[in-house]
Amino acid sequence: MLTEPLLTTRREGGLDVPMLVWRSATPLRAVSSAPLGGGIGVRQWVLNATVPMSYDRDDPAEHLAGLARGLGLGGPGVGLLTGVDVAEVVARTDTGVRAWATVGLGTLIPAAAPEPAAPGQRVGTVNIVVHVPARLGDAALVNAVATATEAKAQAIMELGLAATGTPTDAVTVLCPADGPEFAYGGPRSTWGAPLARAVHAAVLAGGADAVVPWSERFTG
């Protein structure tokens, strides 16, 4: 069972930089697009770490692994980065599915935009973490990522924004490693339907108000 996230900090550049940590007492199956622990496999924790808007490291996986070690996180896990203050995480639950979203909408694009985002636009990231209380098969996990992404895009559309997300969004879906296996994760499936509703509600709430990137609170 995945815990509720713990808000903690690391000392960096003379500032206390926020991080969110989810832990599980037992290994969970996971699918993720995160820079650390991405793909499908067994994971025991998730870390969502705030970074400044000037972040330019080209080794995010190694950076996140170092942060995890500093927190005493053992075993395999998932690591995410965002310019958003992760203390502003929004949580929603539907029929046992729990979803958490940190929502930064600074550089929104339609996925099939003909041109890349213009230089100088504010970076934005939507990080979504979902826990489903039933075991999903590999195909269902992949389908669940698609469902979460579709729900995110629906929320962004309902916010009146002509976009599907940002170029740096990430999704992580976790579920038990044991128990009867469900084969589907689409938006009309047993677990995909509440997943879609929970993610949609979290992103809609998180995007309702303007979000100031964490590092911009300490400048100008």
Side-chain angles (χ1 to χ4, degrees):
M1 185 68 173
L2 197 67
T3 63
E4 290 297 318
L6 171 68
L7 180 64
T8 186
T9 62
R10 67 187 187 277
R11 194 68 178 170
E12 192 173 280
L15 298 170
D16 291 324
V17 189
M19 301 182 288
L20 278 180
V21 182
W22 294 256
R23 292 179 170 89
S24 178
T26 57
L28 298 172
R29 283 173 49 76
V31 61
S32 180
S33 60
L36 176 67
I40 294 178
V42 174
R43 307 288 184 261
Q44 292 184 264
W45 50 264
V46 178
L47 170 63
N48 191 10
T50 294
V51 292
M53 297 297 283
S54 58
Y55 187 83
D56 60 357
R57 290 184 60 155
D58 59 4
D59 61 343
E62 288 76 7
H63 182 202
L64 283 160
L67 295 179
R69 287 192 296 272
L71 292 168
L73 298 172
V78 173
L80 305 148
L81 295 171
T82 179
V84 174
D85 183 345
V86 294
E88 297 177 355
V89 64
V90 176
R92 292 293 185 270
T93 301
D94 192 299
T95 320
V97 176
R98 295 179 293 157
W100 299 268
T102 51
V103 184
L105 302 177
T107 305
L108 284 166
I109 61 166
E115 297 180 0
Q121 286 185 290
R122 291 159 61 96
V123 175
T125 296
V126 180
N127 281 342
I128 296 169
V129 176
V130 180
H131 180 265
V132 177
R135 177 183 170 92
L136 301 179
D138 284 357
L141 281 171
V142 174
N143 205 352
V145 170
T147 298
T149 302
E150 291 168 5
K152 174 196 70 177
Q154 179 184 343
I156 291 170
M157 177 187 68
E158 291 176 9
L159 290 167
L161 303 166
T164 56
T166 86
T168 54
D169 293 351
V171 179
T172 300
V173 179
L174 306 106
C175 68
D178 299 314
E181 184 173 281
F182 287 78
Y184 304 106
R188 293 297 176 265
S189 66
T190 300
W191 294 109
L195 181 154
R197 293 191 296 265
V199 169
H200 172 264
V203 175
L204 194 64
D209 298 315
V211 174
V212 177
W214 174 82
S215 57
E216 291 188 7
R217 299 174 183 178
F218 307 97
T219 60

